[in-house]
Amino acid sequence: MTSFLRAPLVSSDDLLHRLRMSFPAGEVERSVTVAGVEVLGVRVPREQARAVWEEWRGRHGRTGWWPYVTLSPPGDATQWHGHAAWDAGVLGRWVGEAASQDHDARAASVLVSACRWAVEEVANVDDDFDLWRSDYDPDRLAPLLAPAVERPLQGVSQWATGTRDFFEQDWRWVNFVAARGGYEVPVLLPRVYTTWGWAGYGDRGLTPLDTSALLRRWHEQWGAELFFADGSYLELVVDRPPLDPRGAAQVAAELRAYCHDTVDDAVKTGDTMARSTMWSLWWD
C-alpha cells in the first residue's frame, strides 16, 4: 500500500481471504499498478453481478474497498502499458487534489466549458443559440420537462448484467479498489473507463479529476454510485434520482456536458434517465 492511499479498514490479504471464502468455486485474482494501487477481483455469473455488487457495496463502510463490475480481471486493469505515465507521484497529487478540491465548482466548470464548446464549435450560424444554451442551463431546461413524478423510474442495466452491444458473455468481474467511494476510482485507475478527450496525456478534454468531481457531486446529491466501468462504458446506480423538473434538468444538463455521445437530447434525458435508478453512459 503506497503512502498516498487512504488505508482500507481490512488489508488486501484479508479481503482476498474473504473473497475466496465467499466464492469457493470462483476465480479470485489480485494485481497492482506501477503506482502501487492494488485491485482485487472475483469472477461471477453475469446475472449475479448486481447482487454481488450490492452486497459488497453494503460492506464498504466496514472494509474500505469499493466494488465495481467490469468485463476484465484485475490484471487487465493494472497492467495496461500507459500506467507507466502515472507513477506514485502523479497519482499522489491527483488523489490529494480529488480529496481537497471544490467538487461542486469543478463540476460547474465542466458544464460551462461544455456549453461554450457547443455554442462556439458545434452550433452553426443558423442554429437557435438559446436552444443550445437550454441544454446546459437547468433554469432554461426545466420548463421544457414533464411535471414531477411520484417515484423514480426503474433503471435497467444495459452492460453490467445486460447483453447489449459486446456484452453477451456469461461472466463478469467484481473488482475492488481501496477508496473512500466510487468517485475516487477513476483517479486511482485513470483508465478504468475512458471519456471524450481523455487519453491521459493532458490533451483537451475531460480529466480523471473532472470525472471525480462530477461523480462525487452526483453521489452527494442523488446517491449515484459507480457500478459498472469498462472501456468507454459507464453505469451508475442511483439511489435518490430527482423526481421534479428542476432537479432532473440539473442532472440532464450535467450528463449532457459529461457525455454528449449518449445524451444528445437533454429534454428526453431529463424526462427519462435523469429520473431513473440507473444512468448508463457511453463515449464514442
Side-chain angles (χ1 to χ4, degrees):
M1 183 69 64
T2 55
S3 60
F4 67 83
L5 291 173
R6 179 176 182 268
L9 299 175
V10 303
S11 68
S12 60
D13 287 341
D14 190 2
L15 179 62
L16 197 67
H17 174 72
R18 296 186 190 193
L19 291 173
R20 286 173 173 160
M21 292 293 290
S22 298
F23 304 93
E27 183 178 350
V28 178
E29 182 178 308
R30 171 169 53 184
S31 190
V32 60
T33 71
V34 294
V37 178
E38 287 186 286
V39 183
L40 283 69
V42 59
R43 196 176 76 147
V44 301
R46 182 186 68 234
E47 63 273 12
Q48 295 178 16
R50 174 67 183 267
V52 172
W53 178 83
E54 290 282 9
E55 178 182 356
W56 289 88
R57 175 177 73 146
R59 299 183 185 185
H60 173 256
R62 302 191 300 276
T63 67
W65 293 85
W66 186 263
Y68 70 92
V69 180
T70 188
L71 300 182
S72 305
D76 288 3
T78 61
Q79 301 307 313
W80 180 69
H81 66 87
H83 277 299
W86 306 313
D87 60 16
V90 172
L91 291 198
R93 290 193 298 274
W94 283 357
V95 169
E97 187 172 345
S100 62
Q101 70 180 349
D102 184 334
H103 52 279
D104 282 326
R106 187 160 193 145
S109 73
V110 172
L111 192 64
V112 171
S113 297
C115 180
R116 181 177 298 118
W117 173 79
V119 171
E120 294 178 356
E121 302 294 333
V122 179
N124 62 55
V125 294
D126 297 323
D127 282 333
D128 182 341
F129 287 99
D130 283 341
L131 184 60
W132 271 102
R133 292 187 182 96
S134 71
D135 285 348
Y136 301 95
D137 184 342
D139 290 328
R140 292 172 179 260
L141 181 58
L144 305 178
L145 302 186
V149 296
E150 294 184 358
R151 60 184 62 87
L153 304 178
Q154 188 61 44
V156 177
S157 171
Q158 299 183 45
W159 305 302
T161 57
T163 58
R164 275 201 57 187
D165 301 329
F166 309 107
F167 302 103
E168 67 277 0
Q169 66 191 62
D170 293 332
W171 297 91
R172 297 289 184 267
W173 282 83
V174 180
N175 289 349
F176 297 80
V177 181
R180 291 180 303 167
Y183 52 84
E184 285 190 340
V185 174
V187 174
L188 295 166
L189 297 175
R191 294 288 291 198
V192 68
Y193 68 95
T194 53
T195 62
W196 172 79
W198 167 236
Y201 304 104
D203 52 349
R204 185 174 68 89
L206 295 165
T207 71
L209 287 168
D210 295 324
T211 285
S212 178
L214 283 162
L215 293 186
R216 187 173 177 186
R217 175 180 175 88
W218 296 337
H219 161 72
E220 292 181 354
Q221 287 198 325
W222 314 115
E225 304 284 17
L226 179 67
F227 170 49
F228 176 86
D230 194 279
S232 57
Y233 297 85
L234 170 70
E235 287 186 325
L236 305 175
V237 168
V238 188
D239 294 334
R240 307 181 307 275
L243 306 181
D244 64 291
R246 181 56 178 77
Q250 178 192 325
V251 168
E254 292 176 357
L255 288 175
R256 178 157 173 75
Y258 187 49
C259 185
H260 55 79
D261 290 314
T262 298
V263 183
D264 58 355
D265 185 331
V267 173
K268 179 180 178 181
T269 298
D271 286 339
T272 55
M273 184 166 65
R275 306 190 202 201
S276 79
T277 57
M278 182 77 68
W279 298 348
S280 298
L281 304 174
W282 170 76
W283 287 263
D284 192 356

